[in-house]
Amino acid sequence: MSKDYYKTLGLERNASKEDIKKAFRKLAHEHHPDKGGNQEKFKEASEAYSVLSDDTKRQQYDTYGSAGPAGSGRGAGGFGQGGFGDFGFDFSGFQNQAGGQGFDFDLGDIFGDIFGGGARRAPKKGRDISVDMEISFSESIFGAEKKIRLTKTSKCNTCDGTGAKRGTGMEKCSVCNGHGRVRETKRSIFGNFATEKICDNCGGSGKVPREKCAECRGAGILKKESELEIKIPADIDDEQVIRLSGGGEALKGGISGDLYIKIHVKVDPLFSKEGKNLVTELNIKISDALLGSKYSLKTLDGDIELKIPEGVAYGEILRIRGKGVPISASKRGDLLVKINIKLPHRLSREAKEAVEKLKEEGF
């Protein structure tokens, strides 16, 4: 029975070669047995791709269908003498392990991104590191520069990370012949797939030291204590994380990992933050609330003199402009001062009389 290869790949009959390649790549990702996919669907997609990606076979298929002109897929003019089963499709070079007949199957860049061969790889990256840092409330508002010491794998300063003894230089890697990558064969139920991987001997650089550095023994990296400067940005919140690119562990032939610093802000006994404003409280005497007064007030910028207006109410908010959280280089939020009025536990006879008089006046 004739098979619809276009339907197998989810394509129209006028699909381009690039469309065919993309469709097969997608199905190969989804169904490849080595990645836990459906073996039969992968086989069907491979069969369809083998035919439709070849101009001659595609033309024959479009004319006669998958059975070929003789109806059997094996006659003259079919998809291949002694093709694959009754389907008449030929994998050039696929090693048929089941039947022992040698026909190779190297899809090259089609499986490059599945197995690594032929695909562009991102540089190897060292391990990331996470640490915790405690800062004061003031530092969280205005920012700060802090230093942190930690033991981690770092680039060897003696050889500058090359792994070579100074003055000796590098030479071509004998394992990969200077290419930085080595070719290997992966076996699967469908045959042997040629792939490439980064050379373990040179780490992908294609070069190895003529003489190894005595400090790092040719590794180019070593574990040591490092001191790093951390810039804490202004207006950072508790448990916020700062990422320091390249502050993690180094890796020969690759790039260093990142350092993640989790910030813990100490609780301040006087101040809290609400958006871009700071909030504090001030206790004043009842007489000052009635008559007005001046109080010394602590701010994150230092002590200031705060004028208490006459008749200020309990819980009233006094706003001090520009003493809050930095918004820009020239702009800040405000400091909000909540007024608490201290009430006496006892009143003298004179005080009671004064209060009674206020009561008579409607206060």
Side-chain angles (χ1 to χ4, degrees):
M1 183 175 67
S2 180
K3 292 190 173 186
D4 190 338
Y5 291 143
Y6 291 102
K7 184 176 181 181
T8 298
L9 296 181
L11 298 170
E12 300 293 334
R13 299 189 72 86
N14 61 350
S16 66
K17 294 189 74 171
E18 185 63 26
D19 292 334
I20 294 169
K21 182 177 179 180
K22 287 181 179 179
F24 176 64
R25 185 190 297 270
K26 179 181 178 182
L27 292 173
H29 267 296
E30 183 178 353
H31 299 302
H32 198 282
D34 285 358
K35 297 178 74 67
N38 186 303
Q39 176 178 331
E40 287 303 317
K41 288 186 179 295
F42 175 76
K43 179 178 174 182
E44 292 171 3
S46 300
E47 177 183 340
Y49 177 75
S50 175
V51 173
L52 299 183
S53 63
D54 184 283
D55 292 338
T56 301
K57 292 178 183 179
R58 183 178 181 180
Q59 183 178 6
Q60 292 176 347
Y61 169 74
D62 289 342
T63 303
Y64 303 108
S66 62
S72 65
R74 302 189 184 202
F79 292 129
Q81 309 291 329
F84 191 86
D86 292 331
F87 305 121
F89 90 99
D90 179 20
F91 288 125
S92 68
F94 186 48
Q95 180 64 35
N96 184 354
Q97 297 176 10
Q101 301 174 8
F103 52 96
D104 295 331
F105 184 26
D106 186 1
L107 291 176
D109 62 336
I110 290 292
F111 291 122
D113 52 355
I114 301 177
F115 294 111
R120 291 193 294 269
R121 288 174 174 261
K124 283 188 175 182
K125 186 179 178 182
R127 188 174 65 91
D128 294 337
I129 300 175
S130 298
V131 297
D132 293 84
M133 177 181 288
E134 189 176 59
I135 63 174
S136 68
F137 182 80
S138 179
E139 288 172 331
S140 76
I141 298 300
F142 299 119
E145 291 187 0
K146 311 282 282 186
K147 290 184 178 180
I148 185 171
R149 298 188 69 86
L150 65 160
T151 300
K152 66 185 184 76
T153 302
S154 303
K155 183 176 70 173
C156 176
N157 293 330
T158 303
C159 64
D160 198 29
T162 64
K165 180 180 178 181
R166 282 191 177 178
T168 62
M170 309 289 285
E171 63 184 8
K172 184 168 66 174
C173 175
S174 59
V175 175
C176 65
N177 199 29
H179 297 298
R181 302 178 71 86
V182 292
R183 191 174 179 83
E184 63 177 16
T185 301
K186 289 183 179 286
R187 301 177 66 86
S188 80
I189 60 173
F190 286 100
N192 298 336
F193 292 86
T195 63
E196 284 188 348
K197 70 170 187 174
I198 293 176
C199 176
D200 294 328
N201 189 50
C202 65
S205 67
K207 297 179 180 179
V208 294
R210 287 195 179 93
E211 291 186 47
K212 292 182 178 180
C213 169
E215 181 72 16
C216 64
R217 299 181 180 180
I221 54 175
L222 71 168
K223 191 170 284 289
K224 62 180 181 179
E225 187 177 62
S226 302
E227 184 176 81
L228 301 175
E229 290 189 357
I230 310 298
K231 187 173 182 180
I232 309 295
D235 191 22
I236 192 168
D237 293 321
D238 185 50
E239 296 195 348
Q240 192 169 330
V241 176
I242 298 173
R243 173 176 169 267
L244 183 62
S245 180
E249 301 219 330
L251 181 70
K252 186 181 179 182
I255 59 177
S256 295
D258 300 329
L259 175 63
Y260 292 88
I261 306 107
K262 188 174 184 179
I263 298 298
H264 301 278
V265 181
K266 294 180 183 178
V267 176
D268 194 277
L270 297 178
F271 301 97
S272 62
K273 185 171 71 170
E274 291 185 1
K276 297 300 180 181
N277 296 325
L278 296 176
V279 179
T280 189
E281 296 185 4
L282 180 64
N283 297 323
I284 66 172
K285 296 185 295 184
I286 189 171
S287 57
D288 293 331
L290 294 171
L291 303 175
S293 184
K294 291 182 179 179
Y295 274 75
S296 178
L297 178 71
K298 291 183 178 296
T299 74
L300 293 182
D301 300 275
D303 292 355
I304 63 171
E305 189 175 73
L306 176 64
K307 184 178 179 180
I308 306 298
E310 293 182 9
V312 68
Y314 177 86
E316 188 172 338
I317 302 295
L318 302 182
R319 184 182 296 268
I320 304 174
R321 302 286 182 183
K323 293 294 183 181
V325 180
I327 299 173
S328 65
S330 59
K331 186 177 181 182
R332 290 173 60 179
D334 301 331
L335 174 61
L336 307 180
V337 184
K338 180 182 178 182
I339 297 299
N340 294 326
I341 300 175
K342 296 187 293 184
L343 297 176
H345 296 292
R346 290 184 179 181
L347 291 175
S348 65
R349 186 174 61 183
E350 291 79 7
K352 285 183 179 180
E353 291 176 354
V355 172
E356 288 293 341
K357 189 173 182 179
L358 287 173
K359 186 176 180 181
E360 290 174 1
E361 294 179 4
F363 292 100

